[in-house]
Coordinates of all heavy atoms in Angstrom, one line a residue:
M886 N -28.5 -13.6 -6.8 CA -28.0 -12.3 -6.6 C -27.1 -12.2 -5.4 O -26.1 -11.4 -5.4 CB -29.3 -11.4 -6.3 CG -29.0 -10.0 -6.0 SD -28.6 -9.2 -7.6 CE -28.7 -7.5 -7.1
E887 N -27.3 -13.0 -4.3 CA -26.5 -12.9 -3.2 C -25.1 -13.5 -3.5 O -24.1 -13.0 -3.0 CB -27.0 -13.6 -2.0 CG -26.3 -13.4 -0.7 CD -27.0 -13.9 0.6 OE1 -28.2 -13.8 0.6 OE2 -26.3 -14.2 1.4
S888 N -25.1 -14.5 -4.3 CA -23.7 -15.1 -4.7 C -23.0 -14.1 -5.5 O -21.7 -14.1 -5.4 CB -24.0 -16.4 -5.4 OG -24.6 -16.1 -6.7
E889 N -23.6 -13.3 -6.3 CA -22.8 -12.2 -7.0 C -22.3 -11.1 -6.1 O -21.2 -10.7 -6.3 CB -23.8 -11.5 -8.1 CG -23.0 -10.5 -8.9 CD -24.0 -9.9 -9.9 OE1 -25.0 -10.4 -10.4 OE2 -23.7 -8.7 -10.3
Y890 N -23.0 -10.8 -5.1 CA -22.6 -9.9 -4.1 C -21.3 -10.5 -3.3 O -20.4 -9.7 -3.1 CB -23.7 -9.5 -3.0 CG -23.2 -8.9 -1.8 CD1 -22.9 -7.6 -1.8 CD2 -23.0 -9.6 -0.6 CE1 -22.5 -6.9 -0.7 CE2 -22.6 -9.0 0.6 CZ -22.3 -7.6 0.5 OH -21.8 -7.0 1.6
I891 N -21.4 -11.7 -2.9 CA -20.3 -12.4 -2.3 C -19.0 -12.5 -3.2 O -18.0 -12.1 -2.7 CB -20.7 -13.8 -1.8 CG1 -21.7 -13.6 -0.7 CG2 -19.5 -14.6 -1.3 CD1 -22.4 -15.0 -0.2
A892 N -19.3 -12.7 -4.4 CA -18.1 -12.7 -5.3 C -17.5 -11.3 -5.5 O -16.3 -11.2 -5.5 CB -18.6 -13.3 -6.7
R893 N -18.3 -10.3 -5.6 CA -17.8 -9.0 -5.8 C -17.1 -8.6 -4.4 O -16.0 -7.9 -4.5 CB -19.0 -8.0 -6.0 CG -19.4 -8.1 -7.5 CD -20.5 -7.0 -7.9 NE -20.8 -7.2 -9.1 CZ -21.7 -6.3 -9.7 NH1 -22.1 -5.2 -9.1 NH2 -21.9 -6.5 -11.0
K894 N -17.7 -8.9 -3.4 CA -17.0 -8.6 -2.0 C -15.7 -9.2 -1.9 O -14.8 -8.6 -1.5 CB -17.9 -9.0 -0.9 CG -17.4 -8.9 0.5 CD -18.3 -9.4 1.6 CE -17.9 -10.9 1.8 NZ -18.5 -11.5 3.0
T895 N -15.7 -10.5 -2.3 CA -14.4 -11.2 -2.2 C -13.4 -10.6 -3.2 O -12.1 -10.4 -2.8 CB -14.6 -12.6 -2.6 OG1 -15.7 -13.2 -1.7 CG2 -13.4 -13.5 -2.5
K896 N -13.8 -10.3 -4.3 CA -12.8 -9.7 -5.3 C -12.3 -8.3 -4.8 O -11.1 -8.0 -4.9 CB -13.4 -9.5 -6.7 CG -13.6 -10.7 -7.4 CD -14.2 -10.4 -8.7 CE -14.5 -11.8 -9.6 NZ -15.1 -11.5 -10.9
L897 N -13.1 -7.5 -4.2 CA -12.8 -6.2 -3.7 C -11.8 -6.3 -2.6 O -10.7 -5.8 -2.6 CB -13.9 -5.4 -3.1 CG -13.7 -4.1 -2.4 CD1 -13.0 -3.2 -3.4 CD2 -14.9 -3.6 -1.8
I898 N -12.0 -7.4 -1.6 CA -11.1 -7.5 -0.5 C -9.7 -8.0 -1.0 O -8.7 -7.6 -0.5 CB -11.8 -8.4 0.5 CG1 -12.9 -7.8 1.3 CG2 -10.7 -9.0 1.5 CD1 -13.7 -8.7 2.1
E899 N -9.8 -9.0 -1.9 CA -8.6 -9.5 -2.5 C -7.8 -8.4 -3.3 O -6.6 -8.4 -3.2 CB -8.9 -10.7 -3.4 CG -7.6 -11.4 -3.9 CD -6.8 -12.0 -2.8 OE1 -7.3 -12.3 -1.6 OE2 -5.6 -12.1 -2.9
Y900 N -8.4 -7.5 -4.0 CA -7.8 -6.4 -4.7 C -7.1 -5.6 -3.8 O -5.9 -5.1 -3.8 CB -8.8 -5.6 -5.5 CG -8.1 -4.5 -6.1 CD1 -7.3 -4.5 -7.3 CD2 -8.3 -3.2 -5.5 CE1 -6.6 -3.4 -7.7 CE2 -7.6 -2.0 -6.0 CZ -6.8 -2.2 -7.1 OH -6.2 -1.0 -7.5
V901 N -7.8 -5.2 -2.6 CA -7.2 -4.2 -1.7 C -6.1 -4.9 -0.9 O -5.0 -4.2 -0.7 CB -8.2 -3.7 -0.7 CG1 -7.7 -2.8 0.3 CG2 -9.4 -2.9 -1.4
R902 N -6.2 -6.2 -0.7 CA -4.9 -6.9 -0.1 C -3.8 -6.9 -0.9 O -2.6 -6.6 -0.5 CB -5.4 -8.3 0.3 CG -6.2 -8.4 1.5 CD -6.5 -9.9 1.8 NE -7.4 -10.0 2.9 CZ -8.2 -11.0 3.0 NH1 -8.4 -12.0 2.2 NH2 -9.0 -11.0 4.2
L903 N -4.0 -7.1 -2.2 CA -2.9 -7.2 -3.2 C -2.3 -5.8 -3.4 O -1.1 -5.6 -3.5 CB -3.4 -7.7 -4.6 CG -3.7 -9.2 -4.5 CD1 -4.3 -9.6 -5.9 CD2 -2.5 -10.0 -4.3
H904 N -3.1 -4.8 -3.4 CA -2.7 -3.4 -3.5 C -1.8 -3.0 -2.3 O -0.7 -2.5 -2.5 CB -3.8 -2.4 -3.6 CG -3.5 -1.1 -3.7 ND1 -2.8 -0.5 -4.8 CD2 -3.6 0.0 -2.9 CE1 -2.6 0.8 -4.6 NE2 -3.0 1.1 -3.5
R905 N -2.2 -3.5 -1.1 CA -1.4 -3.2 0.0 C -0.1 -4.0 0.0 O 1.0 -3.3 0.4 CB -2.2 -3.7 1.4 CG -1.3 -3.3 2.6 CD -2.2 -3.5 3.8 NE -1.4 -3.2 5.0 CZ -1.3 -4.0 6.0 NH1 -1.9 -5.1 6.1 NH2 -0.5 -3.6 7.1
I906 N -0.1 -5.2 -0.4 CA 1.2 -5.9 -0.7 C 2.2 -5.2 -1.6 O 3.3 -5.1 -1.3 CB 0.9 -7.4 -1.1 CG1 0.3 -8.1 0.1 CG2 2.2 -8.0 -1.6 CD1 -0.2 -9.5 -0.4
S907 N 1.6 -4.7 -2.7 CA 2.4 -3.9 -3.6 C 3.0 -2.7 -3.0 O 4.1 -2.3 -3.3 CB 1.5 -3.6 -4.8 OG 2.2 -2.8 -5.8
L908 N 2.2 -2.0 -2.2 CA 2.7 -0.8 -1.5 C 3.9 -1.2 -0.5 O 4.8 -0.5 -0.5 CB 1.6 -0.1 -0.8 CG 0.6 0.6 -1.7 CD1 -0.7 1.1 -0.8 CD2 1.2 1.8 -2.4
I909 N 3.7 -2.2 0.2 CA 4.7 -2.6 1.1 C 6.0 -2.9 0.4 O 7.1 -2.7 0.8 CB 4.2 -3.9 2.0 CG1 3.1 -3.4 2.9 CG2 5.3 -4.5 2.6 CD1 2.4 -4.5 3.5
Q910 N 5.9 -3.6 -0.8 CA 7.1 -4.0 -1.7 C 7.7 -2.7 -2.1 O 9.0 -2.6 -2.1 CB 6.7 -4.8 -2.7 CG 6.3 -6.2 -2.4 CD 5.7 -7.1 -3.5 OE1 5.3 -6.5 -4.5 NE2 5.7 -8.3 -3.3
D911 N 6.9 -1.7 -2.5 CA 7.4 -0.4 -2.9 C 8.2 0.3 -1.8 O 9.3 0.8 -2.0 CB 6.3 0.4 -3.4 CG 5.7 0.1 -4.7 OD1 6.3 -0.9 -5.4 OD2 4.7 0.5 -5.1
I912 N 7.7 0.3 -0.5 CA 8.3 0.8 0.5 C 9.7 0.3 0.8 O 10.7 0.9 1.1 CB 7.3 0.7 1.9 CG1 6.2 1.6 1.7 CG2 8.2 1.0 3.1 CD1 5.1 1.4 2.7
E913 N 9.7 -1.1 0.8 CA 11.0 -1.9 0.9 C 12.0 -1.5 -0.1 O 13.1 -1.2 0.2 CB 10.7 -3.4 1.0 CG 10.0 -3.9 2.2 CD 9.5 -5.3 2.0 OE1 9.7 -5.9 1.0 OE2 8.9 -5.8 3.0
K914 N 11.6 -1.4 -1.3 CA 12.5 -1.1 -2.4 C 13.1 0.4 -2.2 O 14.2 0.7 -2.4 CB 11.8 -1.1 -3.7 CG 12.7 -0.8 -5.0 CD 11.9 -1.0 -6.3 CE 12.8 -0.7 -7.5 NZ 12.1 -0.7 -8.7
L915 N 12.2 1.4 -1.8 CA 12.6 2.7 -1.6 C 13.6 2.8 -0.5 O 14.6 3.4 -0.5 CB 11.4 3.6 -1.3 CG 10.5 3.9 -2.5 CD1 9.2 4.5 -2.0 CD2 11.1 4.9 -3.4
S916 N 13.2 2.0 0.6 CA 14.2 2.0 1.7 C 15.6 1.4 1.3 O 16.6 2.0 1.8 CB 13.6 1.1 2.8 OG 14.4 1.0 3.9
E917 N 15.6 0.4 0.6 CA 16.9 -0.1 0.0 C 17.7 0.9 -0.8 O 18.9 1.1 -0.6 CB 16.7 -1.4 -0.7 CG 16.2 -2.6 0.0 CD 15.7 -3.8 -0.8 OE1 15.8 -3.7 -2.0 OE2 15.2 -4.7 -0.2
Q918 N 16.9 1.6 -1.6 CA 17.6 2.6 -2.4 C 18.1 3.8 -1.6 O 19.3 4.2 -1.8 CB 16.6 3.2 -3.5 CG 16.2 2.2 -4.6 CD 15.1 2.8 -5.5 OE1 14.3 3.6 -5.0 NE2 15.1 2.3 -6.6
M919 N 17.5 4.2 -0.5 CA 17.8 5.2 0.3 C 19.1 4.8 1.2 O 19.9 5.7 1.4 CB 16.7 5.6 1.3 CG 15.5 6.3 0.6 SD 14.1 6.5 1.6 CE 14.7 7.7 2.8
E920 N 19.3 3.6 1.4 CA 20.4 3.1 2.3 C 21.7 3.3 1.5 O 22.7 3.4 2.1 CB 20.2 1.7 2.7 CG 19.2 1.4 3.7 CD 19.0 -0.1 4.0 OE1 19.8 -0.9 3.5 OE2 18.1 -0.4 4.8
E921 N 21.6 3.3 0.2 CA 22.8 3.5 -0.6 C 23.2 4.9 -0.9 O 24.3 5.1 -1.4 CB 22.6 2.8 -1.9 CG 22.3 1.3 -1.8 CD 21.9 0.6 -3.1 OE1 21.9 1.3 -4.2 OE2 21.7 -0.6 -3.1
L922 N 22.4 5.8 -0.4 CA 22.7 7.3 -0.8 C 23.1 8.1 0.5 O 22.9 7.7 1.6 CB 21.4 7.9 -1.3 CG 20.8 7.3 -2.6 CD1 19.5 7.9 -2.9 CD2 21.8 7.6 -3.7
D923 N 23.7 9.2 0.2 CA 24.1 10.2 1.2 C 22.8 10.8 1.7 O 22.0 11.4 0.9 CB 25.0 11.3 0.6 CG 25.4 12.4 1.5 OD1 25.0 12.3 2.8 OD2 26.0 13.3 1.1
P924 N 22.6 10.8 3.1 CA 21.3 11.4 3.4 C 21.2 12.9 3.2 O 20.0 13.4 3.3 CB 21.3 11.3 5.0 CG 22.3 10.0 5.2 CD 23.2 10.2 4.1
N925 N 22.2 13.6 2.8 CA 22.2 15.0 2.5 C 21.9 15.3 1.0 O 21.8 16.5 0.6 CB 23.5 15.7 2.9 CG 23.7 15.6 4.5 OD1 22.7 15.8 5.2 ND2 24.8 15.3 4.9
S926 N 21.9 14.3 0.2 CA 21.7 14.4 -1.2 C 20.2 14.7 -1.6 O 19.3 14.3 -0.9 CB 22.2 13.2 -2.0 OG 21.3 12.1 -1.8
K927 N 20.1 15.3 -2.7 CA 18.8 15.7 -3.3 C 18.1 14.3 -3.6 O 16.9 14.2 -3.4 CB 18.9 16.5 -4.5 CG 17.5 16.9 -5.2 CD 17.6 17.8 -6.3 CE 16.2 18.1 -6.9 NZ 15.1 17.3 -6.6
E928 N 18.7 13.4 -4.2 CA 18.2 12.1 -4.6 C 17.5 11.5 -3.4 O 16.4 10.9 -3.4 CB 19.1 11.2 -5.3 CG 18.5 9.9 -5.8 CD 19.5 9.1 -6.6 OE1 20.6 9.5 -6.8 OE2 19.0 8.0 -7.1
F929 N 18.3 11.5 -2.2 CA 17.8 10.9 -0.9 C 16.6 11.6 -0.5 O 15.5 11.0 -0.1 CB 18.9 11.0 0.2 CG 18.4 10.4 1.4 CD1 18.7 9.1 1.7 CD2 17.8 11.1 2.4 CE1 18.4 8.5 2.9 CE2 17.4 10.6 3.6 CZ 17.6 9.2 3.9
A930 N 16.6 13.0 -0.6 CA 15.4 13.8 -0.1 C 14.2 13.4 -1.0 O 13.1 13.3 -0.5 CB 15.7 15.2 -0.3
D931 N 14.4 13.2 -2.4 CA 13.3 12.9 -3.2 C 12.8 11.4 -2.8 O 11.5 11.2 -2.8 CB 13.8 12.8 -4.7 CG 14.0 14.2 -5.3 OD1 13.6 15.3 -4.6 OD2 14.8 14.3 -6.3
L932 N 13.7 10.5 -2.6 CA 13.2 9.2 -2.2 C 12.6 9.2 -0.9 O 11.6 8.4 -0.6 CB 14.4 8.2 -2.2 CG 15.0 7.8 -3.6 CD1 16.2 7.0 -3.4 CD2 13.9 7.1 -4.4
D933 N 13.0 10.0 0.1 CA 12.4 10.1 1.3 C 11.0 10.6 1.2 O 10.1 10.1 1.9 CB 13.2 11.0 2.3 CG 12.7 11.1 3.7 OD1 12.6 10.1 4.2 OD2 12.5 12.3 4.2
F934 N 10.8 11.6 0.4 CA 9.4 12.1 0.1 C 8.5 10.9 -0.5 O 7.4 10.7 0.0 CB 9.4 13.2 -0.9 CG 8.1 13.7 -1.2 CD1 7.5 14.7 -0.3 CD2 7.3 13.3 -2.4 CE1 6.2 15.2 -0.5 CE2 6.0 13.8 -2.6 CZ 5.5 14.7 -1.6
A935 N 9.0 10.2 -1.4 CA 8.3 9.1 -2.0 C 8.1 8.0 -0.9 O 6.9 7.4 -0.9 CB 9.1 8.5 -3.2
Y936 N 9.0 7.7 -0.1 CA 8.9 6.7 0.9 C 7.8 7.1 1.9 O 6.9 6.3 2.2 CB 10.2 6.6 1.7 CG 10.2 5.7 2.9 CD1 10.5 4.3 2.8 CD2 9.9 6.1 4.2 CE1 10.5 3.5 3.8 CE2 9.9 5.2 5.2 CZ 10.1 3.9 5.0 OH 10.1 3.0 6.1
N937 N 7.8 8.4 2.4 CA 6.7 8.8 3.3 C 5.4 8.9 2.6 O 4.3 8.4 3.2 CB 7.1 10.2 3.9 CG 8.2 10.1 4.8 OD1 8.4 9.2 5.6 ND2 9.1 11.1 4.7
W938 N 5.3 9.2 1.4 CA 4.1 9.3 0.6 C 3.5 7.9 0.4 O 2.3 7.6 0.7 CB 4.3 9.8 -0.8 CG 3.1 9.9 -1.7 CD1 2.8 8.9 -2.6 CD2 2.2 10.9 -1.8 NE1 1.6 9.3 -3.2 CE2 1.2 10.5 -2.8 CE3 2.0 12.2 -1.1 CZ2 0.2 11.3 -3.1 CZ3 0.8 12.9 -1.5 CH2 0.0 12.5 -2.5
T939 N 4.4 7.0 0.1 CA 3.9 5.5 -0.1 C 3.5 4.9 1.3 O 2.6 4.1 1.4 CB 5.0 4.7 -0.7 OG1 5.4 5.4 -1.9 CG2 4.5 3.3 -1.1
N940 N 4.2 5.3 2.3 CA 3.9 4.8 3.7 C 2.5 5.3 4.1 O 1.7 4.4 4.6 CB 4.9 5.3 4.6 CG 5.7 4.1 5.4 OD1 5.1 3.1 5.6 ND2 7.0 4.4 5.7
G941 N 2.1 6.5 3.7 CA 0.8 7.0 4.0 C -0.2 6.3 3.2 O -1.3 5.9 3.7
Q942 N 0.1 6.0 2.0 CA -0.9 5.2 1.2 C -1.1 3.8 1.8 O -2.3 3.3 1.8 CB -0.3 5.0 -0.3 CG -0.4 6.3 -1.0 CD 0.1 6.1 -2.5 OE1 -0.4 5.2 -3.2 NE2 1.1 6.8 -2.8
E943 N 0.0 3.2 2.2 CA -0.1 1.9 2.8 C -0.9 2.0 4.1 O -1.8 1.0 4.3 CB 1.3 1.2 3.0 CG 1.3 -0.2 3.5 CD 1.0 -0.4 4.9 OE1 1.5 0.4 5.7 OE2 0.3 -1.4 5.2
S944 N -0.7 2.9 4.8 CA -1.5 3.1 6.1 C -3.0 3.3 5.9 O -3.7 2.6 6.5 CB -0.9 4.3 7.0 OG -1.6 4.4 8.1
A945 N -3.3 4.1 4.9 CA -4.7 4.4 4.5 C -5.4 3.1 3.9 O -6.5 2.8 4.3 CB -4.8 5.5 3.5
T946 N -4.6 2.4 3.1 CA -5.1 1.1 2.6 C -5.3 0.1 3.6 O -6.3 -0.5 3.6 CB -4.1 0.6 1.5 OG1 -3.9 1.5 0.4 CG2 -4.6 -0.7 0.8
A947 N -4.4 0.0 4.6 CA -4.6 -1.0 5.7 C -5.8 -0.6 6.5 O -6.6 -1.5 6.9 CB -3.4 -1.0 6.7
H948 N -6.1 0.6 6.7 CA -7.2 1.1 7.5 C -8.6 0.8 6.6 O -9.5 0.2 7.2 CB -7.2 2.6 7.7 CG -8.4 3.1 8.3 ND1 -9.0 2.8 9.6 CD2 -9.4 3.9 7.7 CE1 -10.1 3.4 9.7 NE2 -10.4 4.1 8.7
L949 N -8.5 1.1 5.3 CA -9.7 0.8 4.5 C -10.0 -0.6 4.5 O -11.1 -1.1 4.5 CB -9.5 1.4 3.2 CG -9.5 2.9 3.1 CD1 -9.2 3.4 1.7 CD2 -11.0 3.4 3.5
L950 N -8.9 -1.5 4.3 CA -9.1 -2.9 4.4 C -9.7 -3.4 5.6 O -10.7 -4.2 5.5 CB -7.8 -3.7 4.1 CG -7.8 -5.1 4.1 CD1 -8.7 -5.6 2.9 CD2 -6.4 -5.7 3.9
S951 N -9.3 -2.9 6.7 CA -9.9 -3.4 8.0 C -11.4 -3.0 8.1 O -12.2 -3.8 8.5 CB -9.1 -2.9 9.2 OG -9.3 -1.5 9.4
V952 N -11.8 -1.7 7.7 CA -13.1 -1.4 7.7 C -14.0 -2.2 6.7 O -15.0 -2.6 7.1 CB -13.2 0.1 7.3 CG1 -14.7 0.6 7.1 CG2 -12.5 1.0 8.4
I953 N -13.5 -2.4 5.5 CA -14.1 -3.2 4.5 C -14.4 -4.6 5.0 O -15.5 -5.1 5.0 CB -13.4 -3.3 3.2 CG1 -13.3 -2.0 2.5 CG2 -14.0 -4.4 2.2 CD1 -12.3 -1.9 1.4
E954 N -13.4 -5.2 5.6 CA -13.6 -6.6 6.2 C -14.6 -6.6 7.4 O -15.4 -7.6 7.5 CB -12.2 -7.1 6.7 CG -11.3 -7.5 5.5 CD -9.9 -7.9 6.0 OE1 -9.5 -7.4 7.0 OE2 -9.3 -8.7 5.2
E955 N -14.6 -5.6 8.1 CA -15.6 -5.5 9.3 C -17.1 -5.3 8.7 O -18.0 -5.9 9.2 CB -15.3 -4.4 10.2 CG -14.2 -4.7 11.2 CD -13.9 -3.6 12.1 OE1 -14.9 -2.8 12.4 OE2 -12.8 -3.4 12.6
M956 N -17.2 -4.5 7.7 CA -18.4 -4.1 7.3 C -19.0 -5.2 6.4 O -20.3 -5.4 6.3 CB -18.4 -2.8 6.4 CG -18.2 -1.6 7.3 SD -18.0 -0.1 6.3 CE -19.6 0.1 5.6
L957 N -18.2 -5.8 5.5 CA -18.7 -6.8 4.6 C -18.5 -8.2 5.2 O -19.0 -9.1 4.8 CB -18.0 -6.7 3.3 CG -18.1 -5.4 2.6 CD1 -17.3 -5.3 1.3 CD2 -19.4 -4.9 2.3

């Protein structure tokens, strides 16, 4: 039973780590796309919203990951 708990715990931590990496990659891609645009354009504003939204997700994921790692 304990080995199953450890396996699930490990999978959860690894999943959250991979999810965070994916978010970081998304942030980098959005940033690159924004660099090519006029800061006054609607497309830039839309990407800026997505960039900030994704940054918030990454920040929350990083926090949850640290809590999970401490608790488990």
Side-chain angles (χ1 to χ4, degrees):
M886 181 74 169
E887 187 166 331
S888 64
E889 183 179 332
Y890 167 78
I891 292 170
R893 286 182 179 190
K894 174 184 91 162
T895 303
K896 285 181 183 180
L897 174 63
I898 291 172
E899 188 59 27
Y900 171 80
V901 176
R902 283 182 185 151
L903 291 173
H904 180 65
R905 183 170 180 231
I906 289 168
S907 176
L908 289 169
I909 291 168
Q910 291 171 342
D911 291 347
I912 290 166
E913 291 170 356
K914 183 178 178 185
L915 287 165
S916 180
E917 290 170 5
Q918 290 174 333
M919 290 169 68
E920 287 177 9
E921 299 173 1
L922 298 173
D923 175 6
N925 298 317
S926 70
K927 180 179 178 344
E928 188 176 358
F929 182 92
D931 291 343
L932 287 175
D933 186 52
F934 181 85
Y936 177 88
N937 290 320
W938 178 267
T939 307
N940 241 325
Q942 291 181 56
E943 189 278 324
S944 180
T946 301
H948 171 70
L949 290 173
L950 179 59
S951 69
V952 171
I953 291 168
E954 289 174 332
E955 281 182 30
M956 290 177 64
L957 301 177

